Amino acid sequence: MTFSIVIYDPEEKAWGVGVASKFLAVGAFVPWLRPNVGAIATQALANLTYGVDGLSLLEKGYSASDTIRVLTESDPLREKRQVGIVDTKGSAAAFTGKECYSYAGHIVGNNFTVQGNILAGEEVLEAMAKEAESKGKIYEKILRALKAGESKGGDRRGKQSAAIIVVKTVDKSEKEIDPLIVGKYVDLRVDDSQDPLKDLERLLDLWVATFIEEEMVNVKDYENQIRQALNKWGYNDLRTWVEMNNLEGKYTGDKIGKTVLKILLSKE
């Protein structure tokens, strides 16, 4: 009923899980992550203790493959389970029980694993794996992987919910509100939607615009587009729109965050 990606980015020192499903609030059950420890996706007939116990094992130094072995060997329903894990070093492993509803399977790659059940076919996972191997920020790769899987049919029952959660090595910050001071990089869920990945992408843009450092562009280069967008939003000036949307940290008067500009110009 679910397809997911579990991934590690050694440059960002970040661990992430992206998931989509024809199931209510899939982000409340599938992803389990901890900074400097690893990430887990537990699905199919999901055993939520795989998340809790799995993170404990990873924190004790177990590898991804050893963690899966310990979790499944004492589980009488393991053949109905599916789990993907990336450990603190980025090593990945996955398990798909023989009794998971078809199509069910997984692909393990360098620093990632993708897995799914009740899928349109193997091509869903192949498309996701290709995006996992591409360049970009970890959250960008996760979103692209989910969209690629959906483009190949995704969950064959349809769409309902999706989530992206990424944790990162704890970092100091001088900002008033910065999720990274507790290791939270991205934390987004769409629990019930006719088009959850579209909604998730919109939320991700807002998250990046609000919390993540990014390229700043010159306001003068987009003066006409900005003026037209402000008219559509119903604002007289750019600073007021920025401040009303809590985006003042990405606006200097002369420059504006690239994603902030994208949000502004997206008004239909």
Side-chain angles (χ1 to χ4, degrees):
M1 61 183 177
T2 300
F3 55 100
S4 68
I5 173 172
V6 186
I7 187 169
Y8 171 68
D9 188 309
E11 293 185 7
E12 295 189 80
K13 294 183 180 179
W15 296 258
V17 175
V19 59
S21 181
K22 180 63 173 71
F23 187 83
L24 177 68
V26 70
F29 304 102
V30 170
W32 298 80
L33 307 91
R34 190 174 299 162
N36 298 319
V37 173
I40 299 171
T42 175
Q43 55 197 57
L45 184 61
N47 186 337
L48 301 189
T49 64
Y50 279 15
V52 177
D53 295 342
L55 288 175
S56 294
L57 290 168
L58 292 173
E59 194 164 30
K60 292 176 182 177
Y62 282 68
S63 67
S65 57
D66 285 342
T67 297
I68 287 180
R69 175 183 55 79
V70 173
L71 292 175
T72 58
E73 65 183 4
S74 60
D75 183 355
L77 295 178
R78 59 183 171 273
E79 297 303 336
K80 299 180 183 293
R81 316 288 196 196
Q82 189 171 49
V83 59
I85 299 179
V86 173
D87 61 29
T88 185
K89 297 179 181 179
S91 297
F95 171 83
T96 300
K98 297 177 182 178
E99 297 176 21
C100 291
Y101 291 116
S102 63
Y103 172 81
H106 58 262
I107 298 175
V108 177
N110 185 29
N111 293 324
F112 77 89
T113 175
V114 295
Q115 46 281 317
N117 57 92
I118 318 184
L119 300 181
E122 185 178 9
E123 61 272 16
V124 174
L125 299 179
E126 291 173 343
M128 294 178 70
K130 184 177 180 180
E131 292 298 338
E133 294 169 341
S134 65
K135 295 182 179 181
K137 295 286 188 180
I138 185 170
Y139 52 83
E140 295 171 338
K141 289 188 283 188
I142 291 173
L143 179 64
R144 290 200 304 264
L146 293 176
K147 291 173 69 175
E150 185 176 275
S151 73
K152 297 298 182 179
D155 185 328
R156 58 186 172 86
R157 300 168 309 159
K159 313 171 188 178
Q160 187 170 5
S161 65
I164 294 177
I165 301 179
V166 184
V167 297
K168 192 174 181 180
T169 300
V170 174
D171 197 4
K172 295 180 181 180
S173 176
E174 296 181 358
K175 298 179 183 178
E176 291 184 3
I177 300 177
D178 190 342
L180 278 180
I181 63 174
V182 292
K184 186 178 291 187
Y185 195 16
V186 177
D187 190 352
L188 297 170
R189 282 171 42 183
V190 175
D191 288 341
D192 184 32
S193 170
Q194 293 183 349
D195 197 345
L197 289 185
K198 180 179 180 180
D199 290 343
L200 190 64
E201 183 170 11
R202 180 183 64 83
L203 291 174
L204 182 59
D205 282 342
L206 287 169
W207 184 280
V208 171
T210 305
F211 298 117
I212 297 178
E213 296 296 330
E214 63 171 338
E215 178 185 354
M216 302 286 283
V217 297
N218 292 318
V219 171
K220 285 188 177 181
D221 293 340
Y222 300 90
E223 279 184 326
N224 291 334
Q225 298 99 307
I226 289 173
R227 188 180 306 109
Q228 293 173 9
L230 288 172
N231 288 334
K232 292 180 180 179
W233 282 102
Y235 286 88
N236 293 323
D237 63 276
L238 180 56
R239 182 173 294 279
T240 300
W241 178 87
V242 166
E243 292 178 351
M244 287 295 293
N245 288 278
N246 301 305
L247 299 172
E248 54 268 30
K250 297 287 191 68
Y251 178 63
T252 66
D254 296 323
K255 293 191 174 183
I256 190 169
K258 189 175 182 179
T259 307
V260 177
L261 180 64
K262 176 183 176 182
I263 293 168
L264 173 64
L265 300 185
S266 68
K267 179 69 172 179
E268 296 179 355

